[in-house]
């Protein structure tokens, strides 16, 4: 059975505000790098720049929903994307 393609993504949380209900950070994978802003009360995720955004946006949102209360500003995190970039 063939292995599924995967890419390791690295995430860094830069800012978190519970009063504004927002989490901001950077994520990189496969030679791409993006900035993100997640309004966790509305479930809205914005990822910039647009180059390669389709590769990471869904996987990033799933990861954020899974571990949101465990993330802290200044923290570095790793997750796997089931695609090869």
């Amino acid at each position: 059975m063939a292995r599924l393609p995967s890419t390791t993504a690295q995430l860094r949380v830069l800012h978190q505000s519970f009063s504004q209900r927002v989490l901001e950070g950077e994520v990189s994978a496969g030679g791409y790098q993006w900035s993100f802003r997640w309004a966790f009360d509305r479930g809205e995720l914005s990822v910039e720049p647009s180059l390669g955004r389709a590769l990471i946006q869904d996987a990033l949102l799933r990861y954020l929903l899974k571990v949101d209360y465990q993330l802290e500003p200044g923290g570095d995190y790793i997750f796997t994307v089931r695609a090869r970039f």
Side-chain angles (χ1 to χ4, degrees):
M1 190 169 188
R3 285 184 111 192
L4 294 174
S6 66
T7 301
T8 300
Q10 298 176 335
L11 179 135
R12 172 169 280 176
V13 177
L14 301 176
H15 175 75
Q16 182 179 39
S17 172
F18 286 106
S19 63
Q20 295 177 341
R21 295 178 173 94
V22 71
L23 181 76
E24 297 174 331
E26 299 171 341
V27 63
S28 61
Y32 293 92
Q33 185 168 355
W34 304 271
S35 297
F36 71 88
R37 179 179 174 93
W38 183 39
F40 49 82
D41 65 328
R42 296 183 308 273
E44 295 175 4
L45 176 64
S46 62
V47 179
E48 295 296 330
S50 60
L51 180 64
R53 176 177 28 216
L55 298 171
I56 195 69
Q57 193 160 9
D58 288 341
L60 176 58
L61 182 58
R62 282 193 305 274
Y63 180 74
L64 291 171
L65 289 169
K66 181 179 174 182
V67 299
D68 61 350
Y69 289 106
Q70 301 168 22
L71 301 175
E72 296 182 7
D76 293 318
Y77 305 91
I78 294 174
F79 64 99
T80 301
V81 179
R82 290 187 180 153
R84 189 170 315 272
F85 294 15

